[in-house]
Each structure stands twice: as C-alpha cells, then as structure tokens.
Amino acid sequence: MKVITLEEHWISEEFKRYYPKAGSVGCDADIAVLTDIGERRIAVMDQHGIDMQVLGHGMFPATTVSAEQVMKTNDRAAAAVARHPDRFAAFAALPLATVGAATDELARTVSQFGFKGAMINGTVDGRFLDHPDFWPLLAKAEELGVPLYLHPAYPAAAISKPYYEGDFSDLVSFTLGSTAAGWHWETGLHVLRMIVAGIFDRFPRLQIIIGHLGELIPFYWERIEYWLEPRVENLRKPVRDYFNSNIHITTSGYSTLPPFQLALQTFGLDRLMFSIDYPFNPLAPAVSFLHNLPLTEPQKAQLAGQNAARLLRL
C-alpha cells in the first residue's frame, strides 16, 4: 500500500531565523532536519516506508513578514517537488497579514506549481478564519478545489499569559500552551467557529484538514451534539453533518489505539488520513501503529494513502 503523510514540516532559509535556538524553549526539532527537503529527508522516508510527504511550512510571524519572503519559500518548496515529484507534494505558505496577497499566492502556487492547498498556522492577529476579512481567501480555495490544512499555533498573548503561565518553568508553560493542550483546544474551537458562523454554507465546497485525530473534537462529540447543535439555528444542516462534507482528520502526532478508535467511530474511515507530524514526532512508532491497526488491508490502504490521494488529487 502507498503511504502518504500530510502534516510533515519544513522551514525555509528565509524563516529559520525565527525558529528558537537549540536548547531554548520551543525548539522541539533540529533546524538542520527541518530545513532539509532533499535527499537526506528522502533517505529517512525510505528507511521507514514513507512513499510521499506533503510538505507544510512551519510557523512564522505571519503579520510581520513580507509577501516576497513567503513567495521565495514557496518557490523553494516547488523546486523540491519538481526534483522529486514522486516523493514530495506541497501546501503553500501564505502571507496572511494581507489577505489579498495571501489569496494571490494561493492561486499562484496552485496554478503554477500544482500545490495541493495551503497550511495555515493558527489565528492571525487573534482573528479566526470565520472573520469576514478571510472570506476572499476561502472563496479562492473553494474555487481552486484545494483544501486548507488548519495547523495549531501558540495562542495569542492575551490568552497564553493568564492561562499557561504560572509557578512552573518556562518550558512547562510553553508546553501547556502548545503541544500538550493549548494548541489543540484552540484548533478544535477554530473548526467549530467556522461551522457555527456559517462558513460552510457560504462556501459549501470548501475543505478543511485538521490533525491530531480531530483536535479534541471526538472527545467532546457528545457535548457538541447535545449542547451546541440545538442552539445553532442559522445553519442549513446540523453541526455534525459538516464533518461529513467539509472536514478531514489526520492521525498526526498519535500512535496509540484508543484515540484512533474514538476518531474512527466519530468521523468514519472516509474522513481519516494517516500523518506523522515529522520531525516533531518520530516516524517508527507511527508507521508501526499504522501497520498494526485492527483494520482490513483495504481499510489500511485507504487510511495510509488513498483518502489523501483522492482529496489532493495526487
């Protein structure tokens, strides 16, 4: 079966100066590994049986960098894909400080390079994608027929300081606000906001991908159905139905059975795609998890790559 992974990170030379220095808080992977999108990365993929990675650019200060910097980053990703078209595809980075420039860059990368969508890292100046400012970008993604991968980012300072700082180390504070909790609560909320704001009624063909087995949404599913769904009266269909028409889930960051089973039961196999979150999560446990899932071989193949190939037209 073909194994395709979708939440696999890299950082360009343009942006590596924004990445935390080795040994500092927030440095969770080797910058040399993150900046490599060539033969060394492919050798690691070969070692673990990964046929293709869809490259997603790492977090950067979206409101301070220029469109030109982002374009150079996308050009480098495009060059890597051109050199290794059977091993790499790419999501665009976007200059979200200016929605017009971001919309143009999405169109450029999809039409010129065949990019498979864009990766968006969290909120922009505290605004979620349901804000009307972002509607032109959402409309363009719908028009182009490409998904947006909604990846977590550290919460805004107004949230992170009172919620995640305390009588513990800076590293623990950062971890509470990011990989252990804060990232995932906020991304799950982000998706729910888009639904209840009517984004998928306005843009019914728009597709969103989220990782980490649904960003806590499966755990809260009963509460969402019981409390949220009856109180939302402006939508064309029940809240739950948008997860069957507009939302896709990856396994990134997880390699244990109980959360996978919950996501599978909640969303169904057609909405699930295998991913790893490389290099922040190791490849070996994730690949072993995939091969040992209590699924039939055709079901494993669907999860491993067929769903992604269909969505991204690989």
Side-chain angles (χ1 to χ4, degrees), residues 16-65:
K16 75 176 184 180
R17 67 179 179 274
Y18 296 113
Y19 191 69
K21 302 297 182 185
S24 64
V25 171
C27 182
D28 295 321
D30 185 341
I31 189 64
V33 175
L34 278 164
T35 53
D36 170 51
I37 49 173
E39 296 293 344
R40 287 180 297 171
R41 182 176 287 237
I42 290 173
V44 175
M45 292 163 60
D46 289 342
Q47 181 183 353
H48 295 280
I50 307 296
D51 294 291
M52 175 175 279
Q53 284 187 351
V54 184
L55 302 170
H57 195 265
M59 291 167 284
F60 56 84
T63 56
T64 59
V65 301

Side-chain angles (χ1 to χ4, degrees), residues 233-254:
E233 299 178 349
N234 62 314
L235 299 181
R236 295 176 185 170
K237 54 189 179 183
V239 168
R240 71 179 84 96
D241 287 0
Y242 294 92
F243 286 91
N244 296 321
S245 58
N246 302 95
I247 311 298
H248 305 262
I249 313 298
T250 79
T251 65
S252 63
Y254 279 83

Side-chain angles (χ1 to χ4, degrees), residues 25-225:
V25 171
C27 182
D28 295 321
D30 185 341
I31 189 64
V33 175
L34 278 164
T35 53
D36 170 51
I37 49 173
E39 296 293 344
R40 287 180 297 171
R41 182 176 287 237
I42 290 173
V44 175
M45 292 163 60
D46 289 342
Q47 181 183 353
H48 295 280
I50 307 296
D51 294 291
M52 175 175 279
Q53 284 187 351
V54 184
L55 302 170
H57 195 265
M59 291 167 284
F60 56 84
T63 56
T64 59
V65 301
S66 69
E68 289 75 18
Q69 286 176 291
V70 177
M71 291 175 71
K72 288 180 180 178
T73 287
N74 288 327
D75 289 349
R76 184 174 175 221
V81 172
R83 286 192 298 271
H84 307 284
D86 296 329
R87 308 308 303 275
F88 294 139
F91 291 125
L94 298 179
L96 289 164
T98 305
V99 176
T103 302
D104 290 345
E105 184 62 1
L106 177 64
R108 182 184 81 95
T109 54
V110 172
S111 61
Q112 184 172 334
F113 301 132
F115 277 20
K116 304 307 177 183
M119 179 169 281
I120 295 177
N121 294 293
T123 59
V124 181
D125 278 344
R127 292 170 296 163
F128 293 85
L129 288 182
D130 58 86
H131 194 285
D133 285 355
F134 297 110
W135 290 359
L137 175 62
L138 304 184
K140 181 58 69 173
E142 181 185 48
E143 175 192 330
L144 294 168
V146 295
L148 302 177
Y149 199 122
L150 185 54
H151 186 272
Y154 203 72
I159 298 295
S160 61
K161 188 172 182 64
Y163 274 56
Y164 302 119
E165 293 183 14
D167 190 18
F168 31 74
S169 71
D170 289 346
L171 179 59
V172 169
S173 175
F174 173 80
T175 305
L176 285 174
S178 59
T179 48
W183 276 1
H184 311 296
W185 291 332
E186 182 170 283
T187 307
L189 174 65
H190 202 148
V191 171
L192 292 174
R193 284 181 58 106
M194 292 181 74
I195 292 172
V196 302
I199 289 298
F200 301 110
D201 289 343
R202 181 177 292 271
F203 308 108
R205 299 185 307 280
L206 177 65
Q207 301 297 305
I208 298 293
I209 308 170
I210 56 175
H212 310 106
L213 286 175
E215 306 290 11
L216 296 173
I217 289 172
F219 185 82
Y220 291 115
W221 190 252
E222 181 178 353
R223 306 287 288 178
I224 291 166
E225 285 194 315

